[in-house]
Amino acid sequence: MSEKARENFGSRFTVIMALAGSAIGLGNIWRFPYMVGEHGGAAFIIIYVLCSLFIALPIFFCESILGKSTGKDTFGALESVAPGTKWKNEGYIALLGSFIIVSYYSVVGGWSVDFLIRSFMNDFKGESFEEAAGIFRHMTSSIWEPIVSLTAFLGLTAAIVAMGIEKGIGRFAKVMMPLLFIMIVIIVVRSCTLPGAGKGIEYMLKPDFSKIDGPAFAAALGQGFFSLSLGVGCVLTYSSYMRKEENVFYTGVWTAIFDTFFAILAGFAIMPAVFSAGLEPSAGPSLVYETLPVIFSRMGPLVPIIFFLAILIAAVTSAMSMLEVLVTWLVDQKGLSRKKATTLFFIACWIVGCVCAVSSKVFSICDFMSSNVFMMFGALVFALVVGWKMKKEDVRTQFTNYGTSHKAGAVFSVVWFLIRWIAPIGIVIIAITNLL
Ligand code: TRP
């Protein structure tokens, strides 16, 4: 595809909202708050921020530089930067990673469609926790219900992606992301003013440094990678649609700030409500789909609607970014039209998604492989290619946007060191810790 014909996101606000949309997702809502509580409250938040600053954010910059400087998909970007080498094969791994993640992620996204409809019908009113757990178990063990909702979720995601970068993804993100923030703030206010909410706030904030150990660091970094959508080409692909005058440093920093802020907000939306109901928090599906519907429906019929709508928006904007990695590849490398490419991958992801929807075993394998193997490997390759294959001056030019960003210029030497040494070594140590 010629340079001229390539779309772009338009305004800077749109790029940041699209990247924040990719970053803010289920990872923020159902994993982060629980991890914080388990690994020492504010102490974990501190190491999470450190890991994000020193390892995750530099990788984000690498992907962004690769995408923006080449204006190509993952495969094409690696080929441009390291022509004739094997590095471009990472393109296949990124594709596989995005493909697998979007397929199983859509199953969970589908559940939120299902629960949003149930919330509209006021299904959870007056239910006990056991009954709500029964609803969830019944839904996930039926065959057709998860498949119908998966189809709806993936269909919505694909429809937006098919509309293009500016008119589809960009427009959806710039309208929906601010709305998402408003919705989560409403829930935070409701939740923190409940009787007994203080314990939940304490759970999130009380620092317990004795819980900071190796596994806590591994958890913080893994969460940081997942949350910033790293290692499978999402950031690279979105950055390839930035306008030339956009600033990689600025967009990266703002995306990370929004992402972390939202994760903490999600904690304050969820944990005070859980504790005020006299419960102990858990993570994942049982928290979001068994406990919270009941607690939130006690707070009024609108609260579950707002909550599941928020999850749906968060999940769709994340799924879009993964589907876009696949679509951009087919368009750039194989010359397909955007609509054809989206349709093909919609079908392929739907098939794998259906398998994940009916088999929890396949679901867990996909989850494990993507976060421990594909993402880590991809992140390592991106760091090595930018840190060791690109010339330092070229990286500086891209990072500072041809010397126009003085703030980026001021931190460049630190970022360069992080990209070359700290990030790769950190990734290797953590990947090994996770796999052992
Ligand atoms: N970051 C998203 C979340 O927190 C999920 C996500 C989108 C993702 N794209 C990704 C995770 C790429 C890993 C890799 O839910």
Side-chain angles (χ1 to χ4, degrees), residues 175-187:
V175 175
M176 289 301 172
M177 292 313 287
L179 213 66
L180 178 61
F181 272 97
I182 296 172
M183 291 194 281
I184 203 83
V185 168
I186 293 175
I187 302 181

Side-chain angles (χ1 to χ4, degrees), residues 98-121:
S98 295
F99 177 63
I100 289 178
I101 303 177
V102 71
S103 303
Y104 82 78
Y105 201 88
S106 298
V107 174
V108 187
W111 297 343
S112 65
V113 177
D114 192 296
F115 272 57
L116 179 61
I117 295 171
R118 287 177 191 276
S119 307
F120 270 116
M121 300 192 308

